[in-house]
Amino acid sequence: MDKMRKSTGVILWILIFSFGVLWMLADTNMFDVIQQGPRTLGSVNGESISLEEYNNRLQYYTQQYSQQTGNSMTPEVRAQYEQQAWDDLVNSRLLQDKMDDLGIHVTDQEVVNMITGPNPDPLIRQNFSNEDGTIDRVALKSWVEAPENKQLLISIEQQMRQKRQQQKMNNYLQSSMDVSDYEVEQQYIRNNTRADVSFVRFPYADVSDSEISVSEDELREYYNNNQDEYKRKKSYRISYVSFDKTPTKKDTARTFEEMNRLKSDFATAESDSLFFNRYQSSTAYEVKEVAKDEIRELFRPVLNVAEGEVTDVIQDGGRLFLLKKLDETANEVTFTVFSRDITADPIATIDARAETADDFSFYAQEDGFEAEAKRRDLEIKEGFATKGNNFVSGIGQSQQIMRFLDTANEGQISDPLELNEQFVVIKVNEITEAGTEPFEEVKDQIETVVTNNKRKQQVLANVKELIGQNSDLESIAKATGKEVMTVESLTKSAATIEGAGREPKVVGAIFGLDEGEQSPPVEGTSAAFVVRLDKLYEADLDNLTADVRQRIRQQLRQQKSQTFMNTWIEQLREEADIEDNRAQLLRG
């Protein structure tokens, strides 16, 4: 106490100085800046990605989805498009950096030519074409020179520059992925060379476990030599509780009432297609002409109403139907089907469940996840997820959950996450970082692999001995009580063999034989084989037409391009400095 009294003056001066500093920082809005956190959504190699362009990209996807499906996005679909919008922006900057490195630029004159040149871009041609397909040069010149179009012209110039640069990049990549005539011809030969073959199959499973012994040293030797096979990604063990979003009995009754109210309007509608659009039918407008004896049982009530009349409401699972008879003959009936899905009420059901889930999440963070679940008599379920894979055991595919887990800490409890059929609140129990799995954890897997390898080698050795004792395929089959199987017209490009399953190595061995030749033991995927090439039908390059040649070339080019682009973009991502602030800016 005496020391504290002696130090009172010093402490007082420290407090006064501290308050002064805090006051000064407040005047400079320093705390506002700190609270704001990151100012951009992220960056790629120092180039920022703004929230505005991200939202614009996401809005584009939202509009496209709505136009294509007629529905609004579910929370999970939206999460998938949010990830796609981010990936698009990151990839575009990676490609731009690469184009700059390669010196792929677009001159001002190239942009001018794309707008006013002799062969303008399709966007310009579409808006300034005469009826005969020529360009209305007078209208185009007037539009370009109009002062009120200045900002729009700048935007179009930027778009043309990016488009031209992308075309140059594509040409550069395509030139490095050209397909030679030799590659085309080899693919034609693989597609059109066929063989009639005979074989005897010796499944590895024929050797029982009791015939195989594996030592601890063998297991550890395999583990030490194959550690790359046991690399694990970051993984998460979670607990979660769910709050069902499925429609209630009240929701079903409400939808029935809505359909009953629509019945008379449907019967008197002058345009059925407009009625479908106005009242948002779950099924598209379609006129059905069906023979009376072929009408499915669910729709047979349409036979009992007069032309122009509508049936009572028909239920099939979670969907309700109204059928309107349009015409009827002695043998056929013409009708159309309006439908509505039974959905949960946005306020009475979904909002109520969301509020309950939010309430649980709040108190779980205050009082403990397990304690709050027990208090509410909620079942706690377990789940497992791996970074890079959107599948969560017990729940299914969820981009939202993986996004939460990506930045979560052990013990952290999530806010409610809205999935298609439920809200979930998650607790992160354990996070296992990426690395090599310990030997003890994968010992059982290794034992299975080593045992199967030994079983395989024993079968191959047995088959080799059989071949030495029997001169032909039929003798080998007879000696082992097996059957000689045959396949006709097996193509060289095939990966499967009828009666044997997927066996690409065996197919390769077959077409390495001469006609009439029998193979040594062939190591297949699930069995050892002895094969004989009975008849070979070689492809004739004289039958390779120009059209077929072009089609094969295009297919090979697409395969090369897809493989290259996927690998290339992934490599650019690994080498890039990517800053992702979505967790801070988009939370809530």
Side-chain angles (χ1 to χ4, degrees), residues 207-393:
V207 177
S208 65
D209 289 345
S210 62
E211 299 178 67
I212 304 293
S213 62
V214 178
S215 69
E216 180 83 5
D217 288 343
E218 288 175 313
L219 299 181
R220 288 193 175 275
E221 181 182 5
Y222 185 89
Y223 174 77
N224 293 332
N225 293 336
N226 298 275
Q227 290 200 9
D228 284 346
E229 296 181 16
Y230 300 100
K231 295 290 185 184
R232 65 184 177 200
K233 295 183 178 180
K234 188 176 183 179
S235 62
Y236 314 86
R237 293 194 180 278
I238 63 171
S239 297
Y240 68 95
V241 295
S242 60
F243 302 85
D244 194 11
K245 282 172 53 181
T246 56
T248 63
K249 291 182 179 179
K250 287 184 178 180
D251 294 322
T252 302
R254 170 182 51 81
T255 312
F256 257 102
E257 290 176 8
E258 292 172 357
M259 291 287 278
N260 279 319
R261 285 197 298 268
L262 291 174
K263 179 179 175 180
S264 59
D265 292 340
F266 188 18
T268 58
E270 294 182 4
S271 171
D272 292 335
S273 63
L274 291 178
F275 180 87
F276 274 55
N277 289 331
R278 180 178 180 184
Y279 293 104
Q280 299 180 327
S281 173
S282 298
T283 48
Y285 173 72
E286 179 186 4
V287 175
K288 300 177 181 290
E289 296 181 14
V290 185
K292 291 182 178 180
D293 57 358
E294 294 180 2
I295 293 179
R296 54 188 289 203
E297 188 65 30
L298 183 70
F299 289 168
R300 292 196 71 80
V302 76
L303 297 174
N304 301 324
V305 297
E307 290 182 17
E309 292 299 311
V310 176
T311 65
D312 290 335
V313 179
I314 301 169
Q315 181 174 1
D316 183 29
R319 179 169 289 181
L320 305 181
F321 300 90
L322 289 172
L323 279 59
K324 182 177 182 179
K325 182 185 286 186
L326 304 177
D327 193 18
E328 183 176 13
T329 65
N331 299 315
E332 287 189 340
V333 61
T334 304
F335 61 97
T336 187
V337 181
F338 177 88
S339 69
R340 278 275 183 86
D341 290 330
I342 301 172
T343 57
D345 184 274
I347 297 175
T349 301
I350 294 181
D351 284 359
R353 300 284 162 74
E355 185 175 347
T356 302
D358 190 58
D359 197 46
F360 170 83
S361 175
F362 176 81
Y363 285 105
Q365 294 179 51
E366 292 287 319
D367 304 329
F369 188 86
E370 292 77 10
E372 186 61 20
K374 183 177 181 180
R375 188 178 74 80
R376 293 170 180 257
D377 196 26
L378 295 173
E379 180 185 3
I380 296 178
K381 301 176 183 178
E382 303 294 325
F384 180 82
T386 303
K387 186 178 178 65
N389 184 346
N390 288 336
F391 181 81
V392 183
S393 65

